[in-house]
Amino acid sequence: MEIITIPCLKDNFAYLLICKKSLEAAVVDPSEAFPVQKIVKQNGVKLKTILNTHHHWDHVGGNKDLVAANPDLLVFGHESDRGRIPGQNKFLKKGDIISFGEVKGSFIHNPGHTSGAISYIFSKTVFTGDTLFAAGCGRIFEGTPAQMFNSINFLIGQLSDDTEIYFGHEYTENNLIFAKSLEPLNLEIQKKINKVKYLRSKGKYTTPTTLKEEKKTNPFLRCDSSEIRKTITLKNSKNSLSKIQAFETIRELKDCF
Ligand code: ZN
Ligand code: FE
């Protein structure tokens, strides 16, 4: 499977997934139709499938036009997003398989950012939408901190370390500045800041990351870090936070960073 990153809107990413054998393709989170159609045409592939990670407009904004241009498109989302994802005709429930061409994948239901948020998995790659970003995570709009903690640290966090994570927004630089404010002594964060600055200065994007890198740099996967705990305890006054309380505190600090 080949993956092409398609920048959309201001800082969104859609991804075109191509089955190299059949030249059939799927698109993850088409924020808008035009940039997707352009890449589909350039690559001479047949778009068969839309894979939505959640219902927010900046992830489904292109659905309507893509379906209008091709009424046979399969539009996947979580079963609980029925009525919220334009054109949805596939309602994913536990154990369902996703396929296009000869590619087969699965999904994880990871509520927290929204109640129907899912990540799509194709062998060693995962598409996380707004649930997990490089060095950050999405805001908790429809879930609890405990749900989001579980989604990120266990449901996604249990994948193998070399899993490549394709996320929904180019927020990495700011996320890392926040991460550094919590862990000024974490050299991995500084290393990643240098790498990301270089990429961005060349007009390149920071997607994908890997789970291994995230475990070293993403504060939402590092609720056990003694340095983070020291920093947030100073700001929070409670000194024996559970992991979930630490997660919640980090999320609150990030919300107003
Ligand atoms: Zn969102
Ligand atoms: Fe978004």
Side-chain angles (χ1 to χ4, degrees):
M1 183 180 87
E2 184 187 349
I3 302 168
I4 301 176
T5 299
I6 310 173
C8 291
L9 303 174
K10 186 168 148 260
D11 52 30
N12 274 83
F13 294 127
Y15 298 101
L16 189 69
L17 319 185
I18 300 172
C19 168
K20 302 283 272 180
K21 288 190 188 145
S22 64
L23 295 184
E24 291 185 2
V27 63
V28 178
D29 284 355
S31 317
E32 25 180 9
F34 178 70
V36 173
Q37 286 164 329
K38 201 172 125 191
I39 299 288
V40 165
K41 205 167 169 196
Q42 273 173 11
N43 285 274
V45 297
K46 176 106 190 72
L47 185 64
K48 289 279 193 181
T49 301
I50 296 176
L51 302 172
N52 289 124
T53 61
H54 64 298
H55 73 285
H56 284 159
W57 69 274
D58 61 317
H59 299 257
V60 304
N63 281 23
K64 196 169 155 260
D65 288 349
L66 290 172
V67 171
N70 178 3
D72 294 335
L73 275 185
L74 300 179
V75 182
F76 287 82
H78 190 250
E79 58 174 345
S80 68
D81 269 336
R82 187 183 287 269
R84 304 208 291 185
I85 293 178
Q88 184 177 4
N89 51 26
K90 292 283 173 187
F91 303 89
L92 288 168
K93 55 184 190 319
K94 207 176 169 124
D96 284 353
I97 292 231
I98 295 122
S99 68
F100 61 94
E102 294 179 32
V103 173
K104 282 192 175 31
S106 59
F107 78 99
I108 323 174
H109 179 211
N110 41 218
H113 178 63
T114 67
S115 53
I118 58 182
S119 295
Y120 292 95
I121 301 177
F122 295 93
S123 63
K124 290 276 174 94
T125 59
V126 62
F127 297 85
T128 55
D130 287 355
T131 297
L132 185 61
F133 297 127
C137 74
R139 283 178 191 255
I140 302 168
F141 285 123
E142 295 180 351
T144 63
Q147 273 181 326
M148 192 65 158
F149 174 85
N150 185 58
S151 289
I152 290 173
N153 284 273
F154 293 111
L155 301 178
I156 298 174
Q158 73 183 352
L159 300 173
S160 66
D161 272 359
D162 57 349
T163 305
E164 292 194 303
I165 302 170
Y166 289 81
F167 44 89
H169 288 269
E170 183 59 68
Y171 292 157
T172 310
E173 212 168 341
N174 274 338
N175 286 346
L176 285 165
I177 294 168
F178 173 70
K180 193 180 171 183
S181 77
L182 299 178
E183 275 188 298
L185 301 176
N186 181 339
L187 295 177
E188 294 294 333
I189 293 178
Q190 190 52 54
K191 248 204 273 177
K192 182 120 186 191
I193 288 176
N194 297 342
K195 179 177 156 190
V196 162
K197 279 210 161 118
Y198 176 76
L199 285 172
R200 299 300 290 139
S201 75
K202 299 276 173 203
K204 293 188 176 149
Y205 300 104
T206 64
T207 185
T209 179
T210 61
L211 192 54
K212 188 175 177 189
E213 272 180 70
E214 291 314 299
K215 285 181 180 172
K216 292 182 192 162
T217 56
N218 190 324
F220 297 98
L221 285 169
R222 299 178 54 74
C223 297
D224 264 346
S225 143
S226 53
E227 199 186 356
I228 290 186
R229 283 176 165 267
K230 236 189 240 164
T231 311
I232 63 179
T233 304
L234 290 176
K235 296 186 184 185
N236 185 287
S237 79
K238 283 186 223 152
N239 44 31
S240 57
L241 297 171
S242 71
K243 276 194 215 178
I244 292 171
Q245 285 170 325
F247 182 90
E248 186 172 6
T249 306
I250 298 168
R251 189 57 262 176
E252 282 166 6
L253 290 169
K254 179 68 171 62
D255 284 349
C256 48
F257 184 71

